[in-house]
Amino acid sequence: MNKAPRRRANDDAGDAAEKNRPLVEDIRLLGRILGDTIREQEGKEAFELVERVRKLSVAYRLKSDTQAGRALDRLLKNLSGDQTVSVIRAFSYFSHLANIAEDRHHVRRREHHERQGHLQEGSLAMSFERLAAADIRASEIAKTLRHAYISPVLTAHPTEVQRQSILGAERAIAELIGARDELRTERERAENEALIRARVTQLWQTRMLRTAKLSVSDEIENALSYYHATFLRQIPRLYREIERALPGHEIAPFFRMGQWIGGDRDGNPFVTEATLQMALRRQSETVLRFYLTEVHLLGSELSISAMLAPVTPAMRALAERSPDHNEHRVDEPYRRALIGMYARLAATLHELTGTEALRHAVAPESPYLNAAEFLADLQVIAASLRSHHAQALIGPRLAPLMRAAQVFGFHLATVDLRQSSDKHEAVVAELLKTARIEPDYPALAEDARRDLLLRLLNDARPLRVRAARYSEHASSELAIFETAARMLQRFGREAIRHYIISHTEDVSDLLEVLLLLKETGLMRGELHDAAVTDLIVVPLFETIGDLRNAEPIMRAFYALPGIAAMMKASGAEQDIMLGYSDSNKDGGSFTSNWELYRAEIALVALFEQLARAHGITLRLFHGRGGTVGRGGGPSYQAILAQPPGTVNGQIRLTEQGEVIASKYAHPEIGLRNLETLVAATLEATLLHPTKSAPKAFLDAADAISAASYAAYRKLVYETPGFTDYFFSATPIREIAELNIGSRPASRKATRAIEDLRAIPWGFSWGQCRVALPGWCGFGSAIEAWLGKDAKARKDKLALLQKMHKQWPFFRTLLSNLDMVLAKSDLGIAARYVELVEDKRLGRRIFGLIQAEWQRTHDALALISGEKQRLASNPALARSIEHRFPYLDPLNHLQVELMRRYRAGRDDDPGMDRVKRGIHISINGVAAGLRNTG
């Protein structure tokens, strides 16, 4: 690696207006085309109405013109139903188009910096330079990657509101906007604009909303679209960038994709053994069809004649095994071999998925047993090409295909299984009662449960009684385990690796799942005698209490006889999942982050002992959402903010909601986001300090957390009427009706906040621009901790400022707080308070929210020294400044339509149109805020 320093990118240098000129031009172009489309499709009057709303909103937002604000308010309140929907559609689509322009500009600026030799934070180039500066050799980096496991995991959650039809049209527009920078003639630009106009017309005439609720199969297809758009081609590119930076070193396949869709049953009754089979079958079909296409194209490229270039004996043998005997290809061994490989892949496709390949030079035959066989054939081709100086032909297609075969296999992505601990308990209780082993398992104390479960794990006999009739719940749960066993046989060891237990509260929760694995053949042998499990049993610690118990539970689990030996024999890996969303809803953002930090430190200390004694590796799985209130925020900073020793080359993290689309819909941006995960993991592993943060920092954070927890709980859970306020002053009721996910919005049919899922909880607060989960409690905590004594206050503030400068955990937390405050808008939020029927209640609780927001704003300014929000992130500040005038009308109209909808009658034919308008506005606001999932 080159150690010579290079200049770093500096977003503050130069003229910001000049840098953003292409972005402004793209937004104007797309806005003009959208305006023309509205005029053409809806008429001049509709266009002029949208323009009037736009101008008033810009004047009110950017110029603080209160007269414009009052005029805007009057105008929006007096719109008819049809006019309202038309205006909402216009501003929603503008949000979508602005996102496309911003994404293109992000890529454009990145390309500019690379051409200038600048390095950007979060890039692999920057990370490799930092590693070189720290005298970390290429061999050490390659060794780290050899033992690494980095895996983003796509999940289906009810905030991803985009239809595939919309995403497809937007991808086409993104490609056309991207191409404009390379167009040189007016004719080319006019043709390009005509194509953009066609796609915008398509958008305008395409229904934005789904007419039926998403099924699990819809969610599977939605996730697979990102493999087509980004992952299948960009992950091999990611590996190629690393290979170029570390020449001469073999780069192990350390980067894997994960998936919850089809296997996540927690709270979703629509996920069954059938959806698990469907998910794995469709994943396999997706990757095999990709291989078939690439092998076909490779055959057209490798037209090499054996008369001109002698091939290796292995290559000759591969060609001879091919059923292709066409006399025109008799001297073309590569083509013959690839036709044979295509036939084998086609047979594999049929065997694994029951579907057929699109083209056949010869009939499908001899399916591959596994992806390793396919990779071995590709490696024979690569070795032969090198032997006759044709290595230039390896790079364009063969090398990426070899890497894809390594990474994706025949399974594409690892599907996790997940279910709630109480569901496992019910199945175990029924099995034990039917077998007359224990009549009332749920009534047993924890110690008695452990003793009984250990005894059964050391008994070779099955629990199920032949011919006994089990409940539908027990039968369906056992069917999942049995299906998983069959799917592992069919799709390979990597197809399913993890079994996640939601709401893990004690050791027996883990033992119950082990017993179910044993009952269905996924665990073999007895615990006391060489037991092996096919799946890693992964506890998920979600609430504040669960996080505090994480280390004691895992310590007690591994102290049980036979557990450590079984885990060592099963691969010596232990994943532990940490839940950001529920811990946040439970205790607020600061306390959630702090308890996660403490739990990680404690778990690392425990697993350092287990590593020494048994060689077991800990891998933390971060259940992060899109919003800061659900653990979101930039992944690079989040990984570097992890406590010392917690990354160690091992990390899994969830990708959810709109964040999936914003990160991975565009191939180039997708690549950079994947690169960021690797860069951060390498830096956190090889450059991260091994020392803990100073005790003064830890003590301060602990005290602030306790005060923040108390303030958050007091407002959210202890304030009379807060639940009624939440259900009235946010669109939670309307979100629950949206067809945006297969999972219900609440775990139980109640209005209790405790039973509400963390995702719609955060999504609703984001829609009404309060974003309460991302900041609530922090301001009161800082105020209480600083106290009234002037001298003590001065010393404590100095300590907080030092923590902000020196401690990545605290700095990242405050940076995310800064972002969420900047995206909130209590002026807009005040409009939603009008929806609360009890006006006194509405004013009282909104007053409490306003006061806490102000305390948090002031505390952040005090610690960071920045009076303006996003002073250290001017790019995001500019983005918000430009896009918020176009979001404001959506919020104003959302409030107005919610008022009409809630006051309306079920038999009113206009209510469907009102409801549609609300749902489109939810879509538009989500698109404008971007990280709402």
Side-chain angles (χ1 to χ4, degrees), residues 451-478:
D451 291 343
L452 174 56
L453 294 168
L454 283 171
R455 179 161 58 82
L456 294 170
L457 286 167
N458 282 310
D459 189 333
R461 293 170 295 180
L463 285 173
R464 274 178 286 187
V465 178
R466 294 181 78 178
R469 293 177 69 93
Y470 291 96
S471 68
E472 184 181 344
H473 171 67
S475 300
S476 64
E477 288 297 309
L478 289 165

Side-chain angles (χ1 to χ4, degrees), residues 436-571:
R436 299 188 179 180
I437 294 170
E438 171 52 59
D440 193 3
Y441 173 77
L444 295 180
E446 175 63 19
D447 286 348
R449 287 189 182 203
R450 291 185 200 179
D451 291 343
L452 174 56
L453 294 168
L454 283 171
R455 179 161 58 82
L456 294 170
L457 286 167
N458 282 310
D459 189 333
R461 293 170 295 180
L463 285 173
R464 274 178 286 187
V465 178
R466 294 181 78 178
R469 293 177 69 93
Y470 291 96
S471 68
E472 184 181 344
H473 171 67
S475 300
S476 64
E477 288 297 309
L478 289 165
I480 286 277
F481 286 87
E482 289 168 335
T483 300
R486 292 197 307 274
M487 296 299 100
L488 280 173
Q489 289 291 318
R490 174 176 283 195
F491 295 106
R493 177 71 187 83
E494 294 295 322
I496 307 171
R497 281 174 60 99
H498 309 95
Y499 193 105
I500 299 166
I501 308 167
S502 299
H503 311 114
T504 301
E505 294 172 347
D506 225 319
V507 173
S508 59
D509 293 331
L510 296 160
L511 295 176
E512 286 164 5
V513 171
L514 284 176
L515 188 62
L516 295 175
L517 293 176
K518 172 179 169 287
E519 186 67 17
T520 50
L522 288 162
M523 174 185 158
R524 294 173 299 286
E526 291 81 59
L527 205 52
H528 61 72
D529 183 24
V532 175
T533 173
D534 289 332
L535 301 184
I536 302 169
V537 176
V538 182
L540 167 50
F541 299 108
E542 298 176 86
T543 65
I544 300 299
D546 293 345
L547 289 169
R548 289 171 179 169
N549 289 329
E551 192 273 350
I553 288 172
M554 296 312 294
R555 182 176 292 278
F557 178 63
Y558 272 91
L560 296 173
I563 293 293
M566 178 189 69
M567 295 305 292
K568 184 176 181 179
S570 305

Side-chain angles (χ1 to χ4, degrees), residues 556-604:
F557 178 63
Y558 272 91
L560 296 173
I563 293 293
M566 178 189 69
M567 295 305 292
K568 184 176 181 179
S570 305
E573 297 172 299
Q574 177 65 66
D575 291 68
I576 294 176
M577 186 169 182
L578 304 173
Y580 288 63
S581 307
D582 282 286
S583 59
N584 186 292
K585 185 165 74 74
D586 188 27
S589 181
F590 190 93
T591 299
S592 168
N593 278 281
W594 175 239
E595 292 297 342
L596 285 158
Y597 191 91
R598 289 180 62 192
E600 289 180 46
I601 290 172
L603 288 167
V604 164

Side-chain angles (χ1 to χ4, degrees), residues 623-875:
R624 305 171 75 234
T627 54
V628 170
R630 294 189 47 245
S635 298
Y636 177 75
Q637 286 84 355
I639 294 171
L640 291 182
Q642 297 301 307
T646 55
V647 177
N648 203 23
Q650 308 286 319
I651 194 164
R652 297 183 91 216
L653 69 167
T654 54
E655 301 281 24
Q656 303 177 2
E658 272 70 44
V659 171
I660 296 176
S662 67
K663 281 187 174 182
Y664 301 119
H666 187 291
E668 199 65 35
I669 288 174
L671 174 62
R672 295 311 162 199
N673 279 300
L674 296 169
E675 182 184 331
T676 289
L677 294 179
V678 179
T681 303
L682 283 173
E683 289 187 38
T685 302
L686 295 169
L687 293 178
H688 210 288
T690 53
K691 279 193 317 186
S692 174
K695 186 175 184 299
F697 289 10
L698 300 174
D699 290 346
D702 205 43
I704 293 165
S705 174
S708 180
Y709 180 80
Y712 175 85
R713 297 285 304 185
K714 183 179 179 183
L715 177 62
V716 173
Y717 292 100
E718 296 165 19
T719 300
F722 189 88
T723 300
D724 291 337
Y725 176 89
F726 170 69
F727 275 88
S728 297
T730 77
I732 178 64
R733 288 186 259 171
E734 289 74 15
I735 286 168
E737 295 174 5
L738 254 179
N739 297 314
I740 54 177
S742 65
R743 181 190 308 270
S746 189
R747 286 190 170 91
K748 300 175 186 174
T750 73
R751 275 166 54 100
I753 290 171
E754 291 88 342
D755 295 328
L756 190 70
R757 293 190 176 281
I759 298 145
W761 162 257
F763 193 60
S764 301
W765 285 114
Q767 283 284 314
C768 66
R769 307 288 284 281
V770 176
L772 181 136
W775 53 263
C776 182
F778 182 76
S780 288
I782 295 298
E783 189 177 85
W785 188 73
L786 287 175
K788 303 291 186 190
D789 180 83
K791 169 135 187 3
R793 184 181 174 88
K794 183 180 176 185
D795 292 343
K796 286 183 173 181
L797 179 58
L799 177 61
L800 290 176
Q801 290 168 339
K802 189 176 178 184
M803 288 162 65
H804 180 242
K805 285 191 178 75
Q806 297 179 7
W807 192 13
F809 164 77
F810 196 66
R811 185 169 58 251
T812 299
L813 199 150
L814 264 59
S815 172
N816 286 336
L817 198 60
D818 188 24
M819 179 179 75
V820 79
L821 288 177
K823 286 192 172 186
S824 65
D825 188 317
L826 295 195
I828 296 289
R831 294 297 311 277
Y832 287 79
V833 183
E834 298 167 14
L835 298 168
V836 182
E837 288 184 25
D838 185 336
K839 301 304 177 189
R840 283 185 63 190
L841 174 73
R843 286 193 299 272
R844 177 170 61 82
I845 291 183
F846 187 62
L848 295 173
I849 291 170
Q850 281 180 304
E852 182 59 23
W853 187 95
Q854 192 61 51
R855 281 190 288 269
T856 300
H857 179 278
D858 294 347
L860 184 59
L862 203 60
I863 297 165
S864 67
E866 295 169 353
K867 304 303 177 191
Q868 294 294 317
R869 295 281 58 81
L870 297 175
S872 57
N873 191 347

Side-chain angles (χ1 to χ4, degrees), residues 256 280 283-284 287 407-414 491-492 494-495:
R256 310 281 188 176
L280 288 161
Q283 287 182 194
S284 183
V287 76
V407 172
F408 300 113
F410 289 164
H411 65 285
L412 186 70
T414 298
F491 295 106
E494 294 295 322

